[in-house]
């Protein structure tokens, strides 16, 4: 359990750091070959409603999203900063872990303002592989359905 | 010391997660049979002044507060999100640990706004029991005496 | 690696806690005899530009800064609260560690307002000594060049 907690801790730390640094190739490497990535408002998640703001249910979709982020999209230029709180292990099997961690993301605009962009809860399923833990499902539950600007960069 | 740090880490992660999820029965289970829960502004704590915003010096008082929260109180409906920073062990005995951790709590209103609700420092005494670490004293030191709305849900 | 991660975790927790408590002598004790402390906007750090907001490249300079903070400076009285996110080990040698951790600092003014003061990334080099890990270089990368008030107390 202790080793699991530290491994989950290290994976989450990498997740936030690589996203903030814009190292999207390495960031994608944290995901398993079969993976999903959802962004869903808490009120939908609480009611079991599937409607999501972002819904990538395959690795190809997630890769495509990152590709478009780098090559095609135009959006407000900003710096992201992920603050990820203490994670907890919700359940553990020989094959996988369910982990939750609260997060806050700050964005700094080119004019110099830094503001809270989003707060919520990561609800992750991590699979044990020969290469260590990989993300097989990332469900990002947003506390608010309203986010103040474009959802361009990864949460 | 390392085991203590990880155990305190895990307890704090549970504390914030259960509060945010509204799992108040499980949240109460993190406290020992004899426990206290205080919310006190930093300026009072610094001066040794006992005046607190919330003062529960028995488990019965804390249970009563949670009961009233669930059954009786009316307050603004919102989502809490606890971000708890890295904890440190202040002192350790064979029976107990003193632990501190900084925190920020965000609240999201039904209209969609997320804002900082409170920031401060947890100053906890944790007792070692056969069931693991339990909270025997939770002192929540608020950086500001002013909080922007009702203190309904647990800090 | 696990021991390193926990040691870095503990050092960062002390760093933030001692700064917030104003225990600057103990806070200085976290640094090695040869150390540096820089505060630099992210846009300069990204481009390799050395211009910093604060530039202390010796322990004497850092001590002098703390001395002036305590004895001479006049500035807005406030409470700082460091929230340091999950750290990651970037590299490790027998002599030192490179560690990164995201942070957010909140300031509470005497009038009762608490606001985000700064967000960014710690890029630390920690040296292994007989007294445990010590900070040999602290580079504080601010996400925004604009900070809303005086940079008086340590980031």
């Amino acid at each position: 359990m202790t080793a699991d907690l530290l491994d989950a801790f290290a994976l989450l730390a990498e997740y936030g750091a690589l996203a903030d640094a814009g190292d999207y190739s390495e960031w994608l490497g944290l995901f398993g070959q079969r993976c999903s990535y959802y962004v869903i408002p808490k009120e939908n998640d609480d009611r079991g409603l599937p409607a999501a703001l972002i819904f990538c249910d395959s690795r190809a979709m997630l890769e495509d999203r990152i590709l478009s982020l780098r090559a095609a999209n135009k959006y407000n230029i900003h710096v992201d900063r992920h603050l990820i709180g203490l994670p907890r292990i919700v359940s553990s099997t020989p094959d996988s872990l369910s982990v939750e961690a609260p997060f806050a993301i700050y964005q700094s605009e080119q004019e110099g303002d830094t503001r809270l962009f989003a707060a919520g809860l990561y609800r992750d399923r991590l699979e044990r592989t020969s290469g260590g833990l990989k993300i097989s499902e990332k469900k990002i539950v947003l506390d608010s359905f309203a986010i103040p600007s474009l959802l361009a960069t990864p949460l």
Side-chain angles (χ1 to χ4, degrees), chain A:
Chain A
M1 194 69 163
T2 296
D4 281 350
L5 186 59
L6 281 172
D7 288 347
F9 175 121
L11 178 58
L12 282 161
E14 290 289 318
Y15 178 92
L18 294 173
D20 290 344
D23 292 340
Y24 296 128
S25 297
E26 285 192 61
W27 183 85
L28 274 171
L30 303 178
F31 288 82
Q33 281 309 308
R34 301 184 65 165
C35 64
S36 52
Y37 173 98
Y38 309 121
V39 179
I40 186 167
K42 184 174 189 298
E43 52 189 341
N44 287 17
D45 189 53
D46 285 349
R47 289 167 182 76
L49 299 174
L53 295 166
I54 295 177
F55 187 93
C56 298
D57 64 352
S58 72
R59 187 178 171 103
M61 285 181 72
L62 186 56
E63 288 177 354
D64 187 61
R65 189 169 174 89
I66 292 299
L67 183 65
S68 72
L69 173 64
R70 287 197 279 201
N73 280 351
K74 297 210 185 295
Y75 58 93
N76 63 320
I77 297 173
H78 66 265
V79 175
D80 286 312
R81 188 63 55 201
H82 284 68
L83 243 84
I84 303 178
L86 305 179
R88 68 168 181 152
I89 309 279
V90 177
S91 67
S92 172
T93 73
D95 294 330
S96 68
L97 288 179
S98 289
V99 176
E100 290 183 358
F103 68 87
I105 300 172
Y106 300 94
Q107 288 192 348
S108 299
E109 310 289 340
Q110 289 193 294
E111 291 75 24
D113 278 340
T114 300
R115 61 176 174 173
L116 181 67
F117 177 68
L121 186 68
Y122 291 141
R123 300 181 64 189
D124 296 355
R125 199 167 57 233
L126 309 178
E127 58 183 329
R128 305 177 195 275
T129 76
S130 55
L133 290 177
K134 298 285 180 183
I135 303 167
S136 55
E137 183 178 291
K138 183 101 192 165
K139 189 194 276 184
I140 299 165
V141 181
L142 291 181
D143 287 346
S144 170
F145 61 90
I147 48 171
S149 60
L150 279 175
L151 247 181
T153 46
L155 298 177

